[in-house]
Amino acid sequence: MLVKAVRLQMLMPDTSQPAARKPFYRRIWFLALVGLLVCLAGGAGFVYFWGIVRYEKKAEEFDLAKLEDLESASVIYDRYGQVYGKIFIRNREQVSLSQISPYLVAAVISAEDNRFYEHRGIDFWGIIRAFFKNTAAGRIRQGASTLTQQLARNTFDLRDRTYDRKILEVFLAMRIDKALPKDKIMELYLNRVYFGGGLYGAEAAARGYFGKSAMELSIGEAAMLASLLKSPNNLSPWKNLTAATEERNFVLGRMVENHKITQQQADEEIAHPLEVRPKTNVVYQSYVIDAIRQQVQSELDYESLASEGYKIYTTIDPVLQRTGEEALQRQLLQVERTDGYQHQTYDQFTEGLREWKATHKEGVPPTPDYLNGAVLAVDNRTGGILALVGGRDYSQSEYDRAFQSKRPAGTAFIPFVYAAALAKGVFPGSLVEDSPMDNRQVMIGGTNGILGEWGVEKSDNRYEGAIPLRKAFALSKNAASVRVGIQAGLESVIKLAKAAGIDDELRPFPATFLGSSEVALGDLVTAYTIFPNEGSRTDRLMLITRIETQDGKTVFRAEPQQRKVIDPQIAYEVHSFMTDALNSGTGAEAHSEYGLRNFPAAGKTGTAYNFTDDWFVGYDSELTCGVWTGFDRPHTIYRGAFSKDIALPVWVAMMNASLDKFSPHELGRPFDLKKVEVCLNTGLPASPKCSLLSTVSNDPDLPPRKGTFMEFTTSKQLPKEHCWLHGDDSRSFVKTLRNEDIPRATSAVEATKFPPVAMQGETVLGEDPYQSVKSKKEAVAAAQPKPSWTPAPKALPVNPGETQVRRAEPVGPLDHQGTPPPVELPTPEHVDLNSDPTDL
């Protein structure tokens, strides 16, 4: 019982005093809570440090060398070192920070990153400040990203709007800040950032908006560029000048707040209205830009060209280039308004192309078929291209007619015919027969008829009998020029033309003497440079002088070589002929009609058969210029469309425009080139009595003439005998009675040596503006030698009721039954041996 009582007492609580309580931190629930918090903190710390390591590791994967890997535009410079155009993927020019205005640096810092030089790539205080300012303004007035963050984002294309991307951007910005100095980060930023309008980097933006370098920016201009960074397209002054002005003024205020400028400076800039250049396409597409691009690509690959920022130095003269483009367009628009013009015009095609684009979203646009042309001007000494116009509108047709198109040159080819003859020893004062020739020997436009009625350079062409080479050249006498070519030899003419630079295939037929073979304008202009260059030319035309990298390393340099083609004496003799052709021959309208200024120049017209192509190529001591007009698919421009009326005015505009930069002078005559007096009747060195003999033409419309003219010659070309017709020795006159000495109208060549080539059409098709068509019987009769001289009729009836039209008629030979008949050869008065040759 006692034991049981003790046990019960032990089990009952002791109520005599209160029980002791445990501290809360020893209690199980607190220990569990602390354990949970420790676990959470540890987990958070683990996650935090794991995240840091993870993003730092990801940030380390980016190659910071890419920060300087900018796609820079390749800049094209003209011959004077001025920017002419660009070739680029992105229009950017890299410059150092020292080449950027400090105002732009201050403006960008004030607008985008106030604590740029203080933070370590990420500005937490800047984020808080931007939050409050933007909240108070009710709109975004200040960005939260630092310039370093923006550089990282733009360089590595971190544009995804996710937290992961934003965190990675922060870590990458901090890494960049540790790796690079602040000034370098600023330089990379200002060279990469987009300023709108297709302009990347400060230099391109400064030139695009204000036409000046980034170093020359004013405070207000710098503030405007900095304001564009927020929204380059929406705040563009080309789109919204008012919004752009407001943002500029806001940035000026921020610059005052940050003590970058004074309030007075800001007020002065705010008082000035915002002025920017009109928006232009810096890399406008044109034939010359395309030619430059193609030539550079032959030296460098296109990807490098469009991204590495090369400096391309060219030979282009911007004034001549613009003159050529405008003069060609202006002249051809005028031709399209000519009465009788029946082809598609430029304006009609342009309107049709606009309608086609409105109704077709894809597909090949129509091809133009309007009258087109090309202009090419080159430096005589270097072969550098001063102007290149490959057509009227590059946007409508990229076909370069200056180098890709090949067309018949017409009589613009005959300088090489005469040069070949003179090089063979023909005396420059020789007479050549200007009389009808059976077309079967030459076959210009057909297989029959009489050569010379079409493809001439003037509508009132007439045969004049035996005339000097100089006059036959100046007046583009077709039959006479063929006879000169026969004397030179077809092989010699082709060989000389090839050596002069005409790489095109020349047909081995007499028609080539009159330019029936197709040539490119570039080749013809190259060949003409031998005349002002003492018989030599450069081995190729040059458009680019050198190419440099951004740091000035030369990767290409043009080194043209001179190539001798003919002797300087022969070149000067032909030059003398071409001087007459321009001043008093088929190009005389250059002075009288089109206002060619008074300076030493020479040139030659060229009208292809049936008026399909018109040419004029001419030069002075400094440059040679060629003009071609015609259709891409040959058509007759219109009846009577001579080159002197269509191509010559464009050439005159080019040469006049060149005088400001290129001062021409008289070409020097080779010291061993003699000047001799020549008899007009025999083409031999004159005797004392030749100049005393005055003859009067049977045509009252022509003035009387004296009996001699002056000519240049080499000792090798100079005949050993003097004029036998007017000599003192009476036996010399007996010579006129010998039939073999009588000038006669004969065929140019033996028909057996040049068998006829089958042609598809007659010599003349359609209307005959010169009344040149004769019956076969008349044609054959006209081409045969005549036993005696008979005066040509003044006019022949055309049709009953129509007015009479003068046409080409043969002038007969000397009458062997009596004294020499009058010859229709107007020439200037007799001059002494020390005078220059005069125009015939």
Side-chain angles (χ1 to χ4, degrees):
M1 290 293 294
L2 181 61
V3 174
K4 199 178 281 187
V6 172
R7 288 179 178 175
L8 289 174
Q9 187 177 5
M10 292 176 64
L11 292 175
M12 294 179 62
D14 185 5
T15 58
S16 62
Q17 57 182 4
R21 301 181 64 184
K22 294 181 180 180
F24 72 90
Y25 55 82
R26 294 180 59 183
R27 297 183 181 182
I28 294 176
W29 63 268
F30 179 78
L31 294 176
L33 179 61
V34 171
L36 178 61
L37 291 175
V38 170
C39 291
L40 291 175
F46 174 79
V47 171
Y48 174 74
F49 287 106
W50 176 82
I52 291 177
V53 173
R54 173 175 174 267
Y55 281 105
E56 283 184 342
K57 187 174 181 180
K58 289 185 68 175
E60 291 289 340
E61 295 175 0
F62 292 92
D63 183 7
L64 296 188
K66 192 176 180 181
L67 291 169
E68 298 193 61
D69 185 15
L70 299 176
E71 293 177 346
S72 297
S74 290
V75 183
I76 300 171
Y77 297 92
D78 62 27
R79 67 186 295 105
Y80 308 110
Q82 301 299 315
V83 175
Y84 184 75
K86 295 181 180 180
I87 303 173
F88 57 77
I89 297 175
R90 289 184 174 178
N91 186 7
R92 176 188 286 115
E93 292 181 54
Q94 271 190 275
V95 293
S96 65
L97 189 62
S98 62
Q99 295 173 286
I100 298 175
S101 170
Y103 293 130
L104 181 58
V105 175
V108 169
I109 288 176
S110 298
E112 295 291 317
D113 190 352
N114 187 49
R115 298 182 65 249
F116 172 74
Y117 283 101
E118 300 170 18
H119 60 63
R120 296 300 179 211
I122 184 73
D123 185 9
F124 295 103
W125 291 112
I127 295 173
I128 297 172
R129 182 181 64 251
F131 172 78
F132 284 109
K133 282 187 175 290
N134 293 336
T135 301
R139 58 193 180 100
I140 301 296
R141 297 292 297 180
Q142 200 168 335
S145 296
T146 64
L147 297 182
T148 315
Q149 287 178 265
Q150 294 180 45
L151 177 63
R153 183 189 315 147
N154 293 333
T155 302
F156 300 104
D157 198 23
L158 303 175
R159 302 184 184 278
D160 295 336
R161 293 181 177 274
T162 62
Y163 286 110
D164 182 71
R165 192 277 304 166
K166 190 66 178 178
I167 295 172
L168 178 59
E169 178 187 297
V170 167
F171 278 88
L172 184 55
M174 290 189 293
R175 181 189 169 205
I176 292 173
D177 191 86
K178 289 179 182 179
L180 300 175
K182 288 289 187 178
D183 283 350
K184 186 62 177 179
I185 295 174
M186 177 62 72
E187 177 185 302
L188 293 172
Y189 176 83
L190 290 177
N191 275 301
R192 182 178 291 276
V193 71
Y194 181 55
F195 286 93
L199 304 169
Y200 290 82
E203 183 71 9
R207 295 191 181 278
Y209 287 112
F210 304 110
K212 59 176 64 173
S213 69
M215 189 63 194
E216 299 171 317
L217 291 170
S218 67
I219 297 175
E221 292 166 344
M224 193 217 79
L225 291 185
S227 70
L228 291 174
L229 299 176
K230 186 191 308 180
S231 181
N233 293 322
N234 294 331
L235 297 177
S236 169
W238 291 324
K239 290 184 176 181
N240 192 333
L241 188 61
T242 300
T245 302
E246 291 177 355
E247 291 300 322
R248 177 203 66 175
N249 297 343
F250 171 77
V251 173
L252 289 171
R254 291 284 300 148
M255 294 174 73
V256 173
E257 292 177 14
N258 290 292
H259 309 291
K260 304 297 184 182
I261 60 174
T262 65
Q263 185 63 53
Q264 181 181 354
Q265 288 176 308
D267 293 340
E268 290 175 354
E269 294 295 337
I270 291 173
H272 290 133
L274 180 58
E275 295 180 355
V276 295
R277 296 179 65 192
K279 186 176 182 180
T280 58
N281 188 355
V282 180
V283 65
Y284 73 96
Q285 295 298 310
S286 69
Y287 295 99
V288 67
I289 293 291
D290 189 51
I292 292 170
R293 181 188 296 111
Q294 291 184 39
Q295 186 170 341
V296 176
Q297 280 185 245
S298 67
E299 305 294 334
L300 309 167
D301 62 273
Y302 179 75
E303 184 177 349
S304 297
L305 169 65
S307 63
E308 294 298 326
Y310 290 106
K311 297 177 181 179
I312 305 167
Y313 295 90
T314 73
T315 58
I316 290 297
D317 184 292
V319 173
L320 285 179
Q321 180 66 33
R322 185 170 60 253
T323 299
E325 294 168 350
E326 294 174 354
L328 182 66
Q329 183 69 283
R330 181 174 60 249
Q331 177 64 16
L332 297 189
L333 285 173
Q334 182 176 336
V335 172
E336 290 173 339
R337 301 186 186 104
T338 303
D339 292 340
Y341 188 83
Q342 300 178 350
H343 304 286
Q344 180 190 60
T345 67
Y346 174 83
D347 291 338
Q348 289 171 346
F349 177 81
T350 302
E351 180 60 30
L353 182 62
R354 187 181 300 112
E355 295 175 356
W356 184 90
K357 289 181 177 179
T359 57
H360 295 75
K361 300 301 180 183
E362 58 183 19
V364 180
T367 302
D369 196 27
Y370 49 72
L371 182 64
N372 228 307
V375 182
L376 181 67
V378 303
D379 185 296
N380 289 336
R381 295 175 183 82
T382 66
I385 296 175
L386 304 174
L388 167 58
V389 183
R392 296 174 71 176
D393 194 329
Y394 182 84
S395 66
Q396 296 179 358
S397 171
E398 299 179 11
Y399 182 58
D400 182 1
R401 295 156 188 85
F403 288 100
Q404 293 178 291
S405 177
K406 298 182 179 182
R407 303 304 297 275
T411 49
F413 182 80
I414 68 172
F416 309 103
V417 176
Y418 283 73
L422 296 174
K424 259 197 167 182
V426 171
F427 177 47
S430 300
L431 304 186
V432 60
E433 189 69 26
D434 176 38
S435 58
M437 177 182 292
D438 192 334
N439 191 47
R440 287 177 296 178
Q441 311 305 324
V442 185
M443 291 170 292
I444 291 289
T447 58
N448 55 26
I450 296 176
L451 172 71
E453 301 293 346
W454 285 55
V456 295
E457 295 295 331
K458 51 192 302 186
S459 58
D460 58 346
N461 180 57
R462 53 186 294 118
Y463 294 116
E464 301 186 48
I467 59 175
L469 293 180
R470 176 181 293 273
K471 186 173 185 179
F473 183 100
L475 298 180
S476 291
K477 296 290 189 176
N478 284 350
S481 296
V482 170
R483 291 184 171 98
V484 173
I486 294 298
Q487 193 167 3
L490 184 59
E491 184 178 346
S492 297
V493 172
I494 293 177
K495 182 178 179 180
L496 187 148
K498 291 279 188 181
I502 298 179
D503 291 331
D504 310 297
E505 189 66 29
L506 301 177
R507 299 187 186 92
F509 301 111
T512 292
F513 295 142
L514 297 180
S516 67
S517 296
E518 292 81 8
V519 300
L521 177 61
D523 285 355
L524 195 59
V525 169
T526 301
Y528 263 69
T529 61
I530 69 173
F531 302 116
N533 275 342
E534 299 182 343
S536 299
R537 68 171 178 89
T538 55
D539 55 353
R540 63 185 183 278
L541 296 183
M542 175 177 60
L543 185 56
I544 297 173
T545 57
R546 72 183 188 278
I547 304 173
E548 295 179 353
T549 60
Q550 289 185 5
D551 58 3
K553 180 182 178 181
T554 300
V555 295
F556 169 80
R557 183 181 297 276
E559 297 178 350
Q561 303 293 322
Q562 288 290 321
R563 177 182 300 177
K564 183 178 179 180
V565 179
I566 56 176
D567 292 334
Q569 298 87 344
I570 304 302
Y572 191 87
E573 289 171 349
V574 178
H575 159 69
S576 178
F577 285 8
M578 271 198 278
T579 300
D580 279 6
L582 176 63
N583 294 332
S584 60
T586 55
E589 281 86 348
H591 292 283
S592 61
E593 298 292 333
Y594 309 126
L596 181 66
R597 293 165 63 181
N598 188 23
F599 63 95
K604 184 69 186 70
T605 53
T607 302
Y609 172 78
N610 212 21
F611 304 109
T612 58
D613 302 88
D614 284 335
W615 305 71
F616 193 92
V617 186
Y619 57 85
D620 58 23
S621 62
E622 306 304 307
L623 63 93
T624 298
C625 178
V627 179
W628 167 83
T629 59
F631 293 92
D632 293 336
R633 292 181 294 178
H635 305 299
T636 297
I637 300 173
Y638 61 83
R639 300 302 185 191
F642 295 107
S643 61
K644 65 182 180 62
D645 302 317
I646 298 181
L648 180 58
V650 180
W651 182 85
V652 170
M654 291 290 291
M655 299 305 288
N656 282 344
S658 73
L659 298 181
D660 291 338
K661 293 290 181 62
F662 303 89
S663 300
H665 57 79
E666 291 279 0
L667 294 179
R669 175 162 59 97
F671 70 93
D672 55 347
L673 197 61
K674 301 179 179 180
K675 208 162 29 172
V676 298
E677 189 178 18
V678 183
C679 177
L680 270 170
N681 291 97
T682 60
L684 293 172
S687 69
K689 291 186 178 180
C690 292
S691 60
L692 300 177
L693 180 65
S694 177
T695 58
V696 180
S697 170
N698 65 307
D699 190 336
D701 296 332
L702 297 179
R705 66 176 179 85
K706 294 293 184 180
T708 65
F709 64 98
M710 301 301 298
E711 193 56 83
F712 295 117
T713 182
T714 64
S715 299
K716 184 177 179 180
Q717 295 169 327
L718 184 65
K720 298 186 182 302
E721 61 175 332
H722 283 67
C723 175
W724 47 264
L725 183 61
H726 308 121
D728 293 330
D729 189 349
S730 60
R731 290 175 300 174
S732 64
F733 186 75
V734 177
K735 205 169 185 181
T736 63
L737 302 179
R738 298 170 56 187
N739 289 337
E740 61 266 28
D741 292 319
I742 299 176
R744 299 181 183 277
T746 59
S747 297
V749 293
E750 296 181 22
T752 56
K753 293 184 178 181
F754 297 96
V757 176
M759 305 293 287
Q760 296 183 352
E762 296 294 328
T763 303
V764 179
L765 301 177
E767 183 183 355
D768 181 11
Y770 307 141
Q771 299 300 313
S772 60
V773 176
K774 301 181 181 180
S775 66
K776 184 174 182 180
K777 181 177 180 181
E778 289 176 311
V780 173
Q784 298 301 318
K786 294 180 173 55
S788 62
W789 175 81
T790 55
K794 292 184 179 292
L796 294 177
V798 183
N799 288 317
E802 292 187 2
T803 58
Q804 294 184 342
V805 180
R806 185 185 303 278
R807 68 177 180 180
E809 287 294 331
V811 174
L814 297 174
D815 186 353
H816 65 277
Q817 300 298 327
T819 59
V823 183
E824 299 176 14
L825 295 174
T827 62
E829 295 294 323
H830 166 71
V831 292
D832 61 40
L833 292 176
N834 295 320
S835 65
D836 291 328
T838 53
D839 300 335
L840 298 176

